[in-house]
Amino acid sequence: MQFKSIQMKIAVLSGLCVLAATTGLVAYDIVASNDKQAFVGQSVSTLTEQKTREGLATLASTQAGIIRSSLDGAFDAARNLARSFEVAAGEGMDATPPGERRAQFNAMLLNVLKDNPRFNGTYSAWEPNALDGRDEEFKNRRDAGSDATGRFLPYWTRDTAGKIAIQPLVEYDSAELHPNGVMKGGWYIGPQKGGGESILDPLPYIVQGKNVYLATMSVPIMVSGRFRGVAGADFDLSFVQKLAEDVRGSIFGGKAGVKIVSYKGLVVADSDHPETIGQPFDRLNSQLSTYLATIQAGRADVQTSGDAFTAFSPITIGRTKTPWSVLITVPRAVALAEAITLDQALTARATRDIAMQFAVALVIAVCAIAAMWMVARSIAGPIRAMTASMRQLAAGRTDLVVPGIGRSDEIGAMADAVGVFRDNAIANRRLQDEAESARRSSESERERNAEMERQRAEAMAEATSGLAKGLKHLADADLTFRLHQPFAAEFEALRNDFNSAVQQLADTMSAVAQASLSMDGGSREISRSADDLSKRTEQQAASLEETAAALDEITANVGNSSRRAEEARAVAVEANYSATQSGVVVADAVDAMQRIEQSSQQISNIIGVIDEIAFQTNLLALNAGVEAARAGEAGKGFAVVAQEVRELAQRSAQAAREIKDLIRNSTVEVENGVRLVRDTGEALKTIVGYIVTVNQHMDAIATSAREQATGLSEVNTAVNQMDQVTQKNAAMVEETNAAGATLAAEASRLIELVGRFQLQGGASAMESSALRRVG
């Protein structure tokens, strides 16, 4: 690209540099912002997903614990009944007489049902004639809990109004499978075949005329190492369904799903589809069948399937080997809603920042180009005026006024140099005029002498030959010739004068030659100095351009560094304060949760012991009442004491149940503690955002520092070059001055030498030349 003016060259090149610099900075900021947004988004998503998994696992474990505690209570009651029946039907001293066993066992089953309002029913089923050998007597005695076989099969149940009734058990020996795959008599056949304690998957039963889904828990009765029957209790699973619905409403704004699944994969409770209770849990979604292995393995886990998280927590009930599981399903969009919102906010913020960067970069570029145009104009204007003056000087005009004289910058130095050139040109012209005048004077003198010699030819016959010989040598420019032969007396002075004139002429011509050589050398030196000065002036202008550009970049970078340093300092203070406060909150929350958990565990253990003691006490009091009744009048007082002890045991059991309710409330408080920890985690994520911002500002400050170092290096180089050029210009000016002084001295000497020649009337050659110029 060719430029016709320095102003345009400076403006265009500096504008391109500014545009390139601003474009590079904006591009770097855009790339850095995108990288930052991607990193923050990925980190927040990962952290949120991890916290969501942990929260779901904790929540599922908590709900599993609540359900397990309720079902374990039923198993404890069934187990205590089985142990009491084993003692009463055994062969020891504490055994109950066979004739009283059915009444005693029915009373015990009824009391356990009354003491446990959540139980739907209590029951016991015995092998044929295994209880008292009186099955034949009790055939079709439904009021005693026997069917047509006469076996002891009482089933005490409670309806919705709280009315308690007894009926014989049915289908206890049926191996037929229900449509959902559950063996109808599995609650009896399982323990009978050595399966130990059993909990049956949900099955629909008609109890007192209503169709209900029950969870049936059975404990085998072993007398003398042989299976004699089972004792058990069952739950109406409606309370589990209500628990699932309550949990669903309390988490994730009711957008999660809570499902409780049995060992065989049947729905125990479903917050979204209660109509599927008792059906396979994958009936509505066949993809859920892959979860069955996790459920049957009794493994706690959090899995991701499609666009949802599913948390598993096993429910190990009693001493069974068929765990149930709590499944909590949360859509990914709901679980990661905060992370998605934060990512969208960061994207919007990045878009605004990019637009602002473009606008600021455009304003900076326009202002910089305008400033460069003004700087170029201030530099190019004086240079154009100086160029015009030098052209006029080169054309021979010496009466011009040099612009810029008196300035303290490089333009002033250039003006001083041009002034020296003008003065030297004036001196050269004056010397040329004086040399021409001397040449004309010498020629006139020679002609006059020749004329005088011709006029006195006759009188100088004797001197003619010598003078002719001398003039011939003089005409041949041989100034070394001298007249040594003496002339006549009247012409001796002529010979001496001739010799003296030749000598003076030789000296004069020698001095004139030397002065001419000196003038020629000085003129050439002045010319070379002018050329060097012109080139160095151009280099100096280029260095000034680079210096100006570097100074602009340094100014911008220093401003950015200062602003970002202030922002980083403020963010660091906020982050430090937030981290300190969050650390205190997290430590307090963790300590509180640990203490609550320890207290809950200890209370649960103590309540379990109290409940078992109360049940045993109630059982012993019942046995004592039976023995007192058998003793007749002698045992009435003991019967009163037994009744009091029984009432105390019932009140203890009631207190134990109330304490269990309190433990459930404390579980809710633990959930609140979990929520506090989650909030603390959100605060920590905010702090992480602050820390990331601080790191970004620190990186930007480091980049600006590197750019400043580069700019300062360029400025240093340019300043060194300017210094060297300035020194050379100063030396050149000194040489020019010395050459001018030498030229002036030689010119003065030439004037003195030429002034020695006298013309007619006694005037010197310089005076004659002056008179001719005036004339």
Side-chain angles (χ1 to χ4, degrees), residues 463-474 481 483 498:
T464 298
S465 58
L467 290 174
K469 185 177 180 180
L471 290 173
K472 183 179 180 181
H473 284 282
L474 186 59
F481 176 78
L483 294 175
F498 176 77

Side-chain angles (χ1 to χ4, degrees), residues 23 36 159 198 522 569 716 726:
T23 302
K36 174 186 70 178
D159 63 8
S198 169
R569 186 179 299 109
N716 189 25
T726 302

Side-chain angles (χ1 to χ4, degrees), residues 58-68 243 247 250 258 315 326 328 671:
T58 302
L59 182 61
S61 177
T62 300
Q63 302 308 319
I66 294 174
I67 297 173
R68 182 172 57 249
L243 177 63
V247 172
S250 65
V258 180
I315 306 175
V326 175
I328 298 179
E671 292 178 0

Side-chain angles (χ1 to χ4, degrees), residues 496-573:
N496 293 332
D497 291 339
F498 176 77
N499 290 336
S500 297
V502 171
Q503 184 64 41
Q504 287 183 351
L505 182 59
D507 295 340
T508 300
M509 294 307 295
S510 177
V512 169
Q514 292 177 0
S516 298
L517 291 175
S518 298
M519 290 173 63
D520 181 70
S523 299
R524 292 184 181 183
E525 186 68 25
I526 291 171
S527 178
R528 285 194 299 270
S529 298
D531 292 338
D532 292 341
L533 184 59
S534 177
K535 293 178 181 178
R536 289 167 186 158
T537 302
E538 293 178 358
Q539 294 176 355
Q540 211 163 17
S543 298
L544 285 173
E545 295 175 8
E546 296 176 357
T547 303
L551 286 174
D552 288 339
E553 293 179 1
I554 291 172
T555 302
N557 289 332
V558 168
N560 291 333
S561 298
S562 177
R563 289 193 299 273
R564 294 193 178 184
E566 293 297 329
E567 294 175 1
R569 186 179 299 109
V571 172
V573 172

Side-chain angles (χ1 to χ4, degrees), residues 81 85 102-114 119-124 142-145 152-159 163-169 207-208 214 232-234:
L81 283 172
F85 290 169
R102 299 197 181 215
Q104 181 182 359
F105 288 4
N106 273 325
M108 294 171 66
L109 290 171
L110 176 60
N111 289 331
V112 171
L113 180 60
K114 289 180 179 179
F119 288 3
N120 185 79
T122 56
Y123 62 89
S124 183
R142 299 179 62 85
D143 59 331
F152 188 58
L153 304 170
Y155 183 28
W156 291 90
T157 62
R158 178 189 289 114
D159 63 8
K163 180 181 178 181
I164 296 177
I166 185 174
Q167 65 186 48
L169 293 165
V207 180
Q208 295 190 22
L214 300 178
D234 53 25

Side-chain angles (χ1 to χ4, degrees), residues 27-50:
Y28 173 77
D29 286 341
I30 292 174
V31 172
S33 298
N34 292 335
D35 291 343
K36 174 186 70 178
Q37 179 184 351
F39 175 75
V40 172
Q42 182 178 2
S43 299
V44 170
S45 297
T46 302
L47 183 59
T48 302
E49 181 172 344
Q50 180 181 356

Side-chain angles (χ1 to χ4, degrees), residues 23 26 51 160 175-176 196 222 327 361 365-366 440 459 496 525 619:
T23 302
V26 171
K51 293 299 181 183
T160 56
E176 182 184 355
M222 308 296 292
L327 279 68
V366 171
R440 288 196 299 269
N496 293 332
E525 186 68 25
L619 182 61

